[in-house]
Amino acid sequence: MSRSIYPYAVLSGPVEVEITRVRIDARPLDYTKIAASQRTVALDDAGRDDWREAVLDVRAVLPEEEIAYGPWSELVCAAVLEESTTNTRTVQRLTKDRGSGAWQGSVRLRRSRHRSRATLGVRVVAAVDGVRGRMIGRSDTDWVLDLQSRIPVRAKEIRIVETDFRDGPYAWLRSLKEAPWFVDTSGDMPTVYLNQAVEGLTALLRGTSAVEKATAALVNAQIVGDVWETMFHAAVSDIESDEVGRPQMPTGWRESVLETMLSDVLPGLSPTDAIVELRARREEGYGWTELQSRIQYAAALRAQLPRQLATTLRLTARSSQGEDR
């Protein structure tokens, strides 16, 4: 359990969680929709669009030797199913199998309470130093339960939508009609809207000559940089606190974005310390302007903006020299 620093003893060994079987309305889900290697289950099952409930059999393995000799009592192992988009959280206590030593149980996912992607992990709670209900361990990698996918793929690409901001189907974009693009991070995955009303933009991004391709790569790098920067701010705004006020790493793509950029935004700090520092600066209002420059720098690096700029300048110079001859 490395995401937070706790002022009491916690487990150092791994807490492993596995989904061994999934049933949808009492019928077994095809095994091809459960990818153990990616910790992902695809719940959008063709022909069963009206399903109501999925039951997931969960098996957890704890560092039992460490538990046996540690300063813990009243230990509880629970599976936690949650989705940030719908603010839904379901907790199911697991029971220990005397034969295998594993902790087992079933978690019910009611479709009406979820929308897109939920996660399922394990939390271990015990009494420590006379205080009950302290979390002493959690699964390092939670499972993803994708209600909108028929293929169990954990990672998703950023969605790109080309549309006319002025007269297109998205009325809320009309107030942004002069913007060449807009990054939306309000959903479960970021979406980039490209404005077809900006003459030549989409054609530029599909350029064919060397100079056109280099220019397209430069514009694309600028868009990607904006995406990284916007996603970082969205992830920071989604940092929440636990029951005693400690900042916690968000889940899903927000976690990936923070873990990728924090080393450049706050160099020298561990992810745990960086999260604490981000939360403090955001709430107390100090040093955020300075931090913004670091965020832009980190986003530009991820978008390979310096390399694309150098390539475009070089090709443009060669083209100009050719015209002068």
Side-chain angles (χ1 to χ4, degrees), residues 267-280:
L269 296 183
S270 68
T272 300
D273 291 340
I275 291 295
V276 174
E277 181 68 18
L278 281 175
R279 182 64 176 267

Side-chain angles (χ1 to χ4, degrees), residues 83-289:
E83 184 180 5
S84 58
T85 305
T86 56
N87 197 27
T88 302
R89 182 182 176 91
T90 303
V91 179
Q92 176 63 49
R93 189 167 179 165
L94 305 180
T95 57
K96 188 175 182 179
D97 179 72
R98 293 181 180 276
S100 64
W103 296 73
Q104 301 173 344
S106 297
V107 179
R108 296 183 181 276
L109 183 153
R110 296 179 181 175
R111 190 176 187 180
S112 60
R113 301 182 61 189
H114 296 272
R115 191 172 74 183
S116 53
R117 281 194 151 196
T119 59
L120 189 147
V122 164
R123 309 290 184 267
V124 185
V125 178
V128 187
D129 300 331
V131 180
R132 304 173 67 184
R134 282 180 158 175
M135 186 168 73
I136 64 170
R138 59 174 296 173
S139 47
D140 288 334
T141 304
D142 293 345
W143 281 66
V144 171
L145 311 173
D146 195 328
L147 282 79
Q148 299 179 348
S149 176
R150 296 179 179 178
I151 301 173
V153 177
R154 190 176 188 89
K156 278 190 172 181
E157 295 182 353
I158 294 173
R159 186 174 171 227
I160 307 293
V161 177
E162 295 182 6
T163 185
D164 189 324
F165 284 17
R166 294 179 180 174
D167 303 316
Y170 303 99
W172 59 273
L173 283 174
R174 289 168 191 164
S175 63
L176 305 170
K177 59 185 179 183
E178 302 297 335
W181 58 79
F182 178 75
V183 183
D184 179 18
T185 58
S186 60
D188 60 316
M189 289 298 294
T191 300
V192 178
Y193 293 90
L194 295 178
N195 191 357
Q196 292 176 322
V198 175
E199 186 176 0
L201 174 61
T202 54
L204 171 66
L205 294 175
R206 298 188 180 95
T208 55
S209 69
V211 174
E212 288 174 341
K213 288 181 177 178
T215 305
L218 179 60
V219 174
N220 188 65
Q222 182 62 54
I223 296 172
V224 174
D226 285 354
V227 171
W228 276 105
E229 184 177 345
T230 305
M231 290 195 302
F232 186 87
H233 284 290
V236 171
S237 66
D238 210 38
I239 295 175
E240 297 182 349
S241 300
D242 63 11
E243 63 276 7
V244 293
R246 290 184 298 262
Q248 299 292 294
M249 184 73 81
T251 59
W253 63 263
R254 293 170 176 82
E255 178 182 11
S256 300
V257 168
L258 289 181
E259 289 184 341
T260 301
M261 295 179 67
L262 281 177
S263 60
D264 290 312
V265 176
L266 289 168
L269 296 183
S270 68
T272 300
D273 291 340
I275 291 295
V276 174
E277 181 68 18
L278 281 175
R279 182 64 176 267
R281 290 197 187 198
R282 183 179 176 84
E283 292 187 347
E284 298 171 17
Y286 70 91
W288 191 259
T289 302

Side-chain angles (χ1 to χ4, degrees), residues 36-56:
S37 59
Q38 298 194 49
R39 298 282 196 276
T40 304
V41 178
L43 291 173
D44 185 6
D45 197 9
R48 299 183 182 179
D49 294 337
D50 58 345
W51 65 271
R52 297 182 178 181
E53 181 182 75
V55 179
L56 306 108

